[in-house]
Amino acid sequence: MTEQIEPGTTSNRSVSRALAILELLAQTGRSSSLGEIARDLSLPKSSALTLLRALTAHGFITVDGKGRYVLGLQSFEIGCAYLRRMTPVVAAEQPLLELTRKLGVTSHFAVLAGDEVVYLAKHDPPRPALGLASALGARLPAEITAVGKVQLAYRHGSVSSWPRLLRAEIDSALRLGYATDDGRTATGIRCLAAPVFDDRGCCGAIGVSYLLHDDLTTQMAAAEVTRAAQETSLRLGHRVQCKTG
């Protein structure tokens, strides 16, 4: 029978402290001494040393030539196992559901494919009030969609050969952290999208679609969509926050 560890017990506290050490080393991105780790986490040196020895024995931490601690191979392998499972579509699933639940709108995730976007995930509210072009597998020109424009912005920036209107929309997306489409994809429909990043850069976009005369303001939609895109990016291993308006 597996022992149940109640919150606040010594065992639970030790696990939390060990995880805090791993998080600290991951966030700093450099080697740390015993004293630095104990100071940054407000731990007694004796307790920190015991945990470091255990983590080292299991390969989660290694000691460099100067006696300083860095993440070990086991931490890398576990991170890789997570990333193998966590595809962009999987990472976006829960944030999309939350967007639809919170705002009562259609939410979707799309990726750039040349000069088009392909919709790979979508969630509709229980009783959708409108039909949209963002069906799963559908392709639309990137330059007329919010999910397309924001990816063009973060992948390519403002390209001089693009039409003036598109360059202006790209500049706006880079400044605000999101792009919009008012009625070009579907008459009377506003779309708003924010970029999703993995460890290599922009890998997609999360967007919402709703009626132009809806009570949902651009500011409200932008805040929630940006938050959902940031959460998806974090799930994909991106550690620098996306730009927000």
Side-chain angles (χ1 to χ4, degrees):
M1 181 175 179
T2 304
E3 179 185 359
Q4 297 296 316
I5 300 176
E6 296 296 329
T9 64
T10 300
S11 297
N12 193 45
R13 186 165 61 248
S14 296
V15 171
S16 296
R17 287 176 169 180
L19 292 174
I21 290 174
L22 293 175
E23 290 174 354
L24 176 67
L25 293 176
Q27 290 168 2
T28 59
R30 57 175 174 78
S31 61
S32 297
S33 68
L34 169 62
E36 290 168 342
I37 293 170
R39 180 200 65 210
D40 292 344
L41 296 178
S42 300
L43 294 176
K45 278 190 177 181
S46 57
S47 298
L49 181 59
T50 299
L51 294 169
L52 286 165
R53 284 175 173 169
L55 289 168
T56 300
H58 288 278
F60 288 96
I61 286 177
T62 188
V63 184
D64 65 17
K66 298 181 180 179
R68 297 171 66 84
Y69 297 91
V70 295
L71 290 179
L73 183 60
Q74 189 67 19
S75 293
F76 173 77
E77 290 177 345
I78 287 179
C80 287
Y82 173 84
L83 289 176
R84 284 194 297 272
R85 181 186 66 83
M86 189 57 68
T87 66
V89 172
V90 172
E93 181 69 16
Q94 189 60 36
L96 289 177
L97 283 169
E98 287 298 315
L99 268 179
T100 295
R101 181 192 63 78
K102 186 175 292 186
L103 301 181
V105 300
T106 294
S107 62
H108 41 253
F109 174 78
V111 297
L112 197 62
D115 58 358
E116 296 179 317
V117 288
V118 182
Y119 291 85
L120 300 183
K122 176 186 177 184
H123 284 287
D124 288 314
R127 290 185 294 275
L130 44 94
L132 299 171
S134 59
L136 288 181
R139 286 177 175 260
L140 290 174
E143 65 182 56
I144 69 168
T145 63
V147 287
K149 286 182 285 192
V150 80
Q151 290 183 78
L152 291 174
Y154 280 87
R155 286 196 185 188
H156 304 295
S158 187
V159 178
S160 60
S161 61
W162 285 343
R164 181 180 300 176
L165 176 59
L166 179 58
R167 290 203 309 272
E169 291 180 304
I170 294 299
D171 291 340
S172 174
L174 289 170
R175 183 176 69 256
L176 298 174
Y178 62 86
T180 59
D181 160 39
D182 287 348
R184 291 189 69 190
T185 303
T187 303
I189 303 301
R190 168 170 288 163
C191 300
L192 187 148
V196 170
F197 300 90
D198 60 15
D199 59 342
R200 293 165 292 184
C202 182
C203 64
I206 279 182
V208 293
S209 300
Y210 53 99
L211 294 171
L212 273 169
H213 57 74
D214 203 318
D215 292 335
L216 181 62
T217 67
T218 298
Q219 291 73 20
M220 290 170 57
E224 295 299 334
V225 171
T226 300
R227 185 176 298 113
Q230 290 177 347
E231 180 183 343
T232 304
S233 298
L234 288 173
R235 291 177 174 217
L236 291 170
H238 184 70
R239 285 294 174 262
V240 179
Q241 281 200 339
C242 310
K243 185 178 177 181
T244 60

